[in-house]
Amino acid sequence: MTAIYIECLRKGCFPENWKIAKILPIIKPGKEHISDPSKYRPISLLNTEGKVLEKLMSRRIMHYLYKTEFLNNNQYRFTPQKSTVDAAMEVRQFIEPHLERKEIVLIASLDVKGAFDSAWWSAILNGLREAKCPRNLYYLTKDYLKNRKAVIAIISLSKEKNMTKGCSQGSCLSPGLWNIQFNHLLKIQYTKHTKVVAFADDILIMIKAETVGEAENIANVKMDKILKWAKDNKIRFNEEKSKVMVMTRRKRKEQNEVAVYVNNKVIPQVQKLKNLGIILDYKLNFREHIKYIADKCRKLIFQMAKSAKLNWGLGHKALQTIYLGGIQPLLLYGAPVWIKAMNKENNKPGS
């Protein structure tokens, strides 16, 4: 087997029998009663030997891209030593100083339609060429993406389809390939007014300005650039799931409604935005997030209390295990981002 893998890496060849994915459709949480096929997440069951070769490819390709600093630093998913908290901290560090100076910050969250299923193979290969990836790894990736098949079997029915795009959900290599394609979006020349942060396919665009009108104009100019990139890379944003929010700490009353367009449609404007599990409100005081987490943990603690009685039910050790494993992580998630907000009296327990 070692000799086979060495030859595959040397010659840039991915065996045909390892390119077949058996699709297992998993229902997404909260969508059990929806008839739309998009409620299913298509998990790919792949050949084990093929996944080992994918891992070898992934480690070599990503090592080269990190060594040459090809990938943009604003991508926080599938990246070593980066997490959701790092991404959320980057967002806060951009927004907070501008709000303190009484400026306007417009924040837009874009949802990629289909995400991994829409990854365009030509764009991935173009990215590898642009990065001057070693020839054997480039040809191995090219062969990996060629003649791939997906098979789905439900009861007595079976359907096979030749794939022409997409990264298999369940593949070791897919996250790296997605980052290579998405990297072009993060490398677009943005002005100093703009900051773009990505976490896999979740993209957050932040724009600072003196007035709401100025922020709206800049946002639509940047959206044109982003949508052009999306069109060139065969990717589409979902205008219904995308959101925009105007953030300000100004006390004076002013018009805060904006019209930001995606696919020629105005995306919904909100007063709070949940990003990477942390709720951002329009003043960035995190009161909504703290209240949400406190209410959620309070319900869990009450449920635990019902199960713990003096003479029966869960014992002390069991309750401690549940608390440390389930409730404490929930309480402390993202704490570096919102911990300063706990200094305010109205955010403290009992207020």
Side-chain angles (χ1 to χ4, degrees):
M1 289 303 297
T2 303
I4 291 173
Y5 290 133
I6 290 172
E7 284 300 295
C8 287
L9 290 166
R10 187 174 68 85
K11 294 184 176 180
C13 172
F14 200 97
E16 294 287 327
N17 289 342
W18 295 353
K19 297 181 182 180
I20 301 172
K22 294 181 180 179
I23 304 299
L24 181 66
I26 304 294
I27 297 177
K28 296 178 181 178
K31 296 189 176 181
E32 290 81 2
H33 303 294
I34 301 174
S35 58
D36 191 334
S38 65
K39 77 173 184 179
Y40 294 99
R41 182 174 281 112
I43 302 300
S44 299
L45 303 181
L46 300 163
N47 182 282
T48 304
E49 290 80 4
K51 292 183 78 170
V52 173
L53 182 53
E54 284 184 24
K55 196 70 175 180
L56 294 171
M57 291 170 61
S58 177
R59 287 187 174 181
R60 283 160 174 76
I61 291 171
M62 300 317 291
H63 172 74
Y64 174 80
L65 296 179
Y66 294 136
K67 184 179 72 174
T68 57
E69 298 182 347
F70 176 74
L71 295 177
N72 193 284
N73 288 328
N74 289 327
Q75 173 61 269
Y76 285 83
R77 186 68 168 121
F78 314 124
T79 304
Q81 300 180 352
K82 288 186 178 181
S83 67
T84 55
V85 176
D86 293 317
M89 282 292 290
E90 187 73 20
V91 171
R92 196 201 79 181
Q93 287 169 1
F94 177 86
I95 296 172
E96 198 167 44
H98 298 301
L99 294 185
E100 289 175 352
R101 291 196 291 267
K102 303 302 180 183
E103 294 177 327
I104 299 291
V105 175
L106 184 147
I107 183 168
S109 172
L110 297 183
D111 180 80
V112 178
K113 199 169 187 177
F116 277 35
D117 297 333
S118 61
W120 189 35
W121 294 348
S122 295
I124 293 168
L125 294 174
N126 287 339
L128 289 175
R129 284 197 297 270
E130 184 183 332
K132 298 180 181 178
C133 184
R135 185 176 298 179
N136 66 316
L137 294 176
Y138 171 80
Y139 284 115
L140 182 56
T141 306
K142 187 176 182 180
D143 193 56
Y144 168 82
L145 295 173
K146 186 172 64 177
N147 299 327
R148 296 195 66 82
K149 294 180 180 179
V151 179
I152 185 168
I154 300 175
I155 310 176
S156 60
L157 300 175
S158 180
K159 181 72 175 177
E160 182 179 294
K161 185 177 181 179
N162 293 322
M163 306 304 296
T164 57
K165 64 175 183 177
C167 296
S168 303
Q169 296 189 47
S171 162
C172 306
L173 188 57
S174 291
L177 296 182
W178 174 262
N179 276 1
I180 291 168
Q181 177 173 3
F182 218 61
N183 191 57
H184 289 277
L185 172 61
L186 300 175
K187 284 192 170 183
I188 292 174
Q189 292 297 318
Y190 298 104
T191 64
K192 63 181 181 180
H193 297 83
T194 309
K195 177 82 172 178
V196 178
V197 172
F199 193 84
D201 59 319
D202 292 325
I203 179 169
L204 215 61
I205 303 151
M206 297 167 286
I207 297 162
K208 65 101 174 177
E210 294 294 331
T211 66
V212 175
E214 182 188 0
E216 180 183 350
N217 291 335
I218 295 172
N220 281 310
V221 170
K222 301 307 173 190
M223 284 298 176
D224 287 342
K225 286 186 177 182
I226 291 170
L227 292 172
K228 183 182 183 304
W229 170 86
K231 184 178 179 181
D232 292 342
N233 286 270
K234 314 295 183 186
I235 282 178
R236 184 177 175 83
F237 291 107
N238 189 334
E239 63 276 2
E240 294 177 0
K241 291 185 178 180
S242 299
K243 301 284 188 294
V244 65
M245 179 171 66
V246 175
M247 305 182 73
T248 178
R249 289 178 181 171
R250 293 175 180 173
K251 293 182 179 180
R252 68 176 184 267
K253 291 185 177 180
E254 56 186 327
Q255 182 67 28
N256 286 338
E257 292 184 3
V258 293
V260 178
Y261 291 85
V262 172
N263 303 328
N264 297 319
K265 294 181 180 179
V266 178
I267 59 177
Q269 185 173 349
V270 295
Q271 293 291 306
K272 57 184 178 180
L273 186 69
K274 192 172 184 179
N275 179 250
L276 304 177
I278 297 176
I279 299 174
L280 306 174
D281 53 81
Y282 73 97
K283 288 187 177 181
L284 200 69
N285 57 24
F286 296 105
R287 182 165 177 78
E288 290 289 339
H289 178 76
I290 293 169
K291 183 177 181 300
Y292 169 75
I293 294 299
D295 290 344
K296 194 170 184 179
C297 290
R298 190 179 294 113
K299 290 177 183 178
L300 290 174
I301 291 171
F302 284 158
Q303 288 174 2
M304 288 174 59
K306 291 179 181 178
S307 303
K309 301 298 179 182
L310 290 175
N311 300 318
W312 60 274
L314 296 173
H316 173 74
K317 287 188 177 180
L319 291 172
Q320 185 180 37
T321 301
I322 294 171
Y323 175 80
L324 294 176
I327 296 177
Q328 191 178 76
L330 188 62
L331 279 170
L332 299 180
Y333 172 73
V337 181
W338 50 262
I339 192 64
K340 286 183 180 179
M342 292 304 297
N343 294 328
K344 295 182 178 180
E345 287 297 325
N346 57 0
N347 287 333
K348 292 180 179 180
S351 61

